[in-house]
Amino acid sequence: MKKLLLSAVVILLAVSCGHRVRPDGHSLVFYATMENRSAAGDYPFWMSGDSISVFYKNNVHTIAVFSETDGDQGIFKAPAAPESGREAGYVYAVYPYHRSVTLGNDGRLGVYFPTVQNYEGNTYAHKANVMVAVSTDEDLDFRNVGGYVHMQLYGPGVQVAILELDTNEEEPVSGQGWVTVSPNGDPSFTPGDANTKSYVYLDCIYNLVTIGSDEEHATDFWLAVPPVKLDKGFTVYVVDPNDREYPISVTESVEFKRTHIIGVEACKVEFPEASKEDIEADLAGTYIINSTSYYASEGLGPYSDEITLSYSDKPDKGPVALTGSLGITENIELYGDYDVSGKKFSIPSGQVLGGFYTDDSKTKICWLKLYLGDDKYFYTDDILFNVTAPHSLEFAYAKDGLDLLFLGFVDDAIDGSYERLIIKSIAYKPTKAVAAAAKARGYDTEHGLDGFRHRAGALHDFKPAGELSGLVRRQFPR
């Protein structure tokens, strides 16, 4: 675990108002400038696709869309003059446009800091930088509401799928909040009481970022954050395409300030491989998986299955072996991986649970394979279990409506759905040998270890592999 080196940097670049001509017409036209060009990289002032939320001297929310640039100004046009509403003394505007933006009776603006931000190289996501403006006319001088976190990462062969910042004390760093702004003063921010998140992350899942191999070629990552104080700091999780996590943490008080940059020293990302000792101390042993069947009305389930996790003697298949019974199948043999840094046990989807002949001539075999599934789709993503303490597992997606799906395959074609397990609980059956090995490494198998406390709710973007609505429901032969 590495520690952040914090620095506060304020970058203020002057802007000037160029000559412009007001076009004729009945719709509203606004002329927008920014407080500074960018706190990160060389970003243009405005770009195609930009839009702003406008309250034109009343509380009616209007969208104005970027039209063109005139010098340092962006010209935004509202599609039509706004309806009449409760009168306001000024013209208020928020960038970027968001349907949840509001103007309160007290003149405060309800804004939204996005939880998901797109990776855009050596700058923050353009539409993540919340700005506000207040004016007596159509000239809008936008000022930044929040600040920025800048990280530099390197590591040979490492790809980043997600970079997530979590606050250590659950303070909100994304979602809704309130901004107070006046024509001649800096905006001030107050987090909302609801619809907030204690995390914010860069989404690189479909555009993986390969970071530099050494410190000299470290790759930049930027996050736009609201101005909040974090009493016990924050933790950044670097997640790779295999869902391994590398945590970078700071535990002292940190304050994100308007237009300030919290800089992070270049950090080497390393995903340690799970050793036999790691697996035996954290995972190895017998567990009881209690589940019900999605097809309970047809007489299946409930189940109380006993499985065993152990160090695998087949490293080509995976360092962790899972044996035992699961639902309608017995004598299963699956293989998975253990993420030591992220404290997660994963089983790749699509592994064979068992097989049986589908005809009397014994010419065709139906192979049962294990996937994730919900009411509509099945997924080929890894099946994840959080290791919340040594020898303590919880199904990572129990709250997301995902279950274990048994699909049958004949000649590589889906034959149908044979079972769907809804996991209710996982209980560990301690043995003296395993408990002694864990205790020798400083773990308490009954009470766990604080360092194992995993952040609530891993973030994933599942892409369906297929629909379940068209699949035939098959009976498992007894």
Side-chain angles (χ1 to χ4, degrees), residues 19 31 34 48 133 158 179 279 299 324 444 455:
H19 175 69
Y31 304 87
M34 291 185 185
S48 176
V158 174
V179 175
I279 293 170
D444 184 342
R455 60 196 169 95

Side-chain angles (χ1 to χ4, degrees), residues 183-348:
N184 299 314
D186 291 337
S188 62
F189 177 81
T190 303
D193 296 326
N195 299 320
T196 61
K197 302 291 185 182
S198 61
Y199 56 84
V200 57
Y201 71 99
L202 284 177
D203 184 355
C204 316
I205 292 175
Y206 296 120
N207 295 284
L208 299 174
V209 179
T210 301
I211 61 178
S213 59
D214 53 40
E215 185 173 355
E216 183 180 356
H217 301 93
T219 302
D220 295 282
F221 293 85
W222 290 84
L223 284 165
V225 291
V228 294
K229 184 177 181 181
L230 310 180
D231 290 336
K232 294 188 178 180
F234 59 88
T235 301
V236 172
Y237 295 90
V238 183
V239 185
D240 78 349
N242 297 317
D243 214 55
R244 294 182 299 176
E245 293 181 359
Y246 182 79
I248 306 168
S249 186
V250 60
T251 55
E252 63 259 31
S253 176
V254 178
E255 185 172 3
F256 299 146
K257 296 182 179 180
R258 195 185 80 82
T259 71
H260 283 53
I261 300 170
I262 296 295
V264 180
E265 184 185 47
C267 180
K268 184 177 182 180
V269 177
E270 299 176 286
F271 297 105
E273 296 295 331
S275 66
K276 181 178 181 181
E277 291 74 18
D278 292 325
I279 293 170
E280 290 180 345
D282 300 347
L283 283 179
T286 302
Y287 298 81
I288 303 298
I289 298 180
N290 297 300
S291 64
T292 58
S293 173
Y294 183 77
Y295 308 114
S297 61
E298 301 178 31
L300 294 182
Y303 304 102
S304 183
D305 296 312
E306 186 172 293
I307 65 162
T308 298
L309 298 181
S310 60
Y311 179 72
S312 168
D313 59 358
K314 300 177 180 179
D316 57 319
K317 293 187 175 182
V320 182
L322 185 156
T323 56
S325 300
L326 196 60
I328 57 177
T329 59
E330 298 178 351
N331 303 317
I332 63 172
E333 186 176 285
L334 303 174
Y335 294 88
D337 198 2
Y338 179 47
D339 176 10
V340 180
S341 58
K343 304 302 179 187
K344 289 186 295 187
F345 168 52
S346 62
I347 304 173

